[in-house]
Amino acid sequence: MKKQGLTAPAGFLASGVQAGIKDLGSKDLGMISCPQGAKAAGVFTTNAVVSAAVEVCRENLACAKCFGVVVNSGVANACTGKKGLSDARSMCREAGKALKADQGAMLVASTGVIGRKLPMDKVRSGIRTCADLLSDSQEAARDFAEAILTTDTVSKQHTETVRISGKEVTIAGAIKGAGMIAPNMATTLCFLTADAAISKRLLQKALREAAGESLNKLTVDGHQSTNDTALLLSSGKAGNAPISRPKSPDYKKFYETLLSVCRNLTRQMALDAEGATKIFKVEVSGAVSKKDARKAARAVADYDLVKCAINGSDPNWGRIICAIGSCGAKVNVDNITCRLGRLTVFRSGRPVKFDKKRAEEIVSQKEHTILIDLGAGSGSDFCWGCDLSKKYVEINADYHT
């Protein structure tokens, strides 16, 4: 079996340790290293309030080569003012010192409770320990994936390979996220490594577009975080002919593999969403535009009454139609059709007779698809959602500052 995780692509090391940032005693600080440097790309939250790590990471992405990423969980370092910015830069400086790299060539991310300041003595010590433990092993990649978790119940990784210009290129990812998730980039903390030779411009283009068709297609609770970050580093060590043209077959192969990795990670997040027992996919077709299709799909996936019905295995198509009608997309009710899986429950603006037991069986599955045809055009899009359970309320009632 081929190696899995962020260390699978050539040129990358990783580690994850318990630095004492969290009260629970679990791993809470991780590091990725590319000793010979990597091109880097990033996409971030569009929330107007952002963490210090997001601000510093945006600045440092301008570097020609990135030599590593340092990440902490447990404390978001958001709404922490000048001290927070100083601490985020200190994390880059300490990591750079340990890796013999300039602090401006280091990237940083944080996740956890908003408003708390980082325990910097523990963070600095943890960074040094992480640097000493860096390894290209699969176990080291797993340690990193565990160190970035907050309310997640399991770590999430995925790896794929593709042949580009006769060479095997590997793309791997690790992701965390279970709540405060809504389409609007990023969605969570997501870290991706690759060993393709590719221009920095195309690396950024590939990540932005792949995130738009994966991470941005999941809504758990309609809220984006202050810390959302997705980073992609590529070492160029696969030996493929450099990818420099966006319309080339090589770029298409790279992009499609990256998208596949991102979609797999997104699905894993959906399955581990806070309190979730089921996930569903809303596919909208027949819209006047892709924008309207996206709006309708997200409206259904976000609608609390739909999410509650799914939690109760109730095939309540009325709530689906209600969500569509209130989302602002152009609709002609007389043309709308809705299906649960392959079962039609609403056609041409009217309910139809259907097997209720079969409908309940579909909605009670761990995963199912809601298909909606607006009958207004050729635009289409989709969104993933999850049910809303009592457990979600319990988790977020207890998660406080």
Side-chain angles (χ1 to χ4, degrees):
M1 181 183 291
K2 291 186 177 180
K3 185 164 65 175
Q4 299 292 303
L6 292 173
T7 57
F12 289 96
L13 311 173
S15 60
V17 302
Q18 178 187 334
I21 302 168
K22 292 179 183 174
D23 296 331
L24 300 176
S26 52
K27 293 184 181 70
D28 50 21
L29 197 142
M31 184 179 286
I32 304 167
S33 169
C34 186
Q36 293 182 312
K39 291 173 182 173
V43 284
F44 304 90
T45 182
T46 56
N47 195 320
V49 180
V50 301
S51 74
V54 168
E55 290 192 51
V56 173
C57 203
R58 281 172 172 164
E59 293 171 0
N60 289 3
L61 265 179
C63 63
K65 275 191 174 183
C66 168
F67 288 86
V69 184
V70 60
V71 190
N72 78 274
S73 60
V75 175
N77 194 16
C79 301
T80 47
K82 291 182 180 178
K83 179 65 166 61
L85 279 171
S86 174
D87 288 346
R89 293 191 175 106
S90 180
M91 288 177 70
C92 290
R93 184 167 55 252
E94 194 69 40
K97 186 191 303 182
L99 301 181
K100 296 180 173 54
D102 185 84
Q103 73 176 69
M106 297 298 302
L107 303 179
V108 61
S110 296
T111 183
V113 178
I114 294 171
R116 288 184 183 171
K117 291 183 173 62
L118 285 164
M120 288 307 295
D121 288 345
K122 294 178 179 179
V123 170
R124 292 188 187 95
S125 176
I127 288 173
R128 292 191 290 270
T129 303
C130 259
D132 289 340
L133 294 175
L134 284 168
S135 166
D136 65 356
S137 71
Q138 184 167 296
E139 291 71 25
R142 184 192 61 225
D143 288 342
F144 176 89
E146 291 176 358
I148 65 177
L149 306 181
T150 51
T151 58
D152 310 64
T153 65
V154 293
S155 59
K156 305 164 186 72
Q157 303 179 84
H158 187 61
T159 306
E160 294 189 21
T161 59
V162 61
R163 291 199 73 78
I164 296 178
S165 65
K167 302 293 183 179
E168 184 173 86
V169 168
T170 304
I171 302 176
I175 202 165
K176 65 80 50 183
M180 290 186 81
I181 291 175
N184 227 345
M185 198 56 265
T187 295
T188 182
L189 297 191
C190 178
F191 305 95
L192 299 146
T193 56
D195 49 20
I198 184 172
S199 72
K200 186 176 176 71
R201 177 179 64 88
L202 288 187
L203 197 69
Q204 181 66 42
K205 173 182 169 64
L207 177 60
R208 184 179 64 251
E209 293 180 358
E213 293 299 318
S214 58
L215 304 178
N216 280 346
K217 300 294 189 185
L218 170 63
T219 176
V220 169
D221 47 24
H223 298 281
Q224 53 179 314
S225 171
T226 54
N227 293 55
D228 301 331
T229 300
L231 298 173
L232 168 59
L233 280 63
S234 197
S235 67
K237 294 182 73 66
N240 61 290
I243 303 169
S244 58
R245 293 183 295 113
K247 294 184 179 180
S248 68
D250 286 353
Y251 174 77
K252 184 179 180 182
K253 286 182 181 179
F254 178 83
Y255 170 74
E256 288 180 347
T257 306
L258 175 65
L259 176 58
S260 180
V261 170
C262 288
R263 283 186 169 171
N264 181 285
L265 293 171
T266 302
R267 180 178 171 278
Q268 289 187 57
M269 272 204 304
L271 288 167
D272 192 35
E274 289 178 346
T277 66
K278 305 166 190 170
I279 67 172
F280 59 95
K281 185 179 183 182
V282 183
E283 296 184 359
V284 174
S285 60
V288 296
S289 65
K290 183 179 177 68
K291 181 179 180 181
D292 262 20
R294 180 168 62 248
K295 191 182 294 184
R298 178 172 175 180
V300 174
D302 260 341
Y303 197 33
D304 285 346
L305 292 180
V306 171
K307 294 158 74 71
C308 289
I310 290 172
N311 179 256
S313 300
D314 178 10
N316 194 326
W317 57 262
R319 294 178 177 181
I320 296 170
I321 302 304
C322 181
I324 294 168
S326 62
C327 73
K330 292 182 180 179
V331 298
N332 181 337
V333 178
D334 291 336
N335 289 342
I336 297 176
T337 295
C338 176
R339 287 182 290 154
L340 303 177
R342 295 182 179 180
L343 185 67
T344 300
V345 295
F346 189 84
R347 180 188 293 117
S348 300
R350 298 289 183 273
V352 298
K353 289 184 178 181
F354 61 88
D355 184 340
K356 186 179 179 183
K357 185 177 180 181
R358 176 58 188 142
E360 289 174 345
E361 288 173 351
I362 292 169
V363 179
S364 68
Q365 295 176 108
K366 183 73 175 176
E367 299 182 48
H368 75 279
T369 301
I370 299 170
L371 298 107
I372 303 155
D373 188 337
L374 299 183
S378 58
S380 63
D381 210 339
F382 73 94
C383 187
W384 281 297
C386 62
D387 64 334
L388 185 59
S389 70
K390 293 178 183 178
K391 186 67 175 177
Y392 175 87
V393 177
E394 291 171 1
I395 290 169
N396 285 284
D398 292 339
Y399 192 79
H400 56 78
T401 57

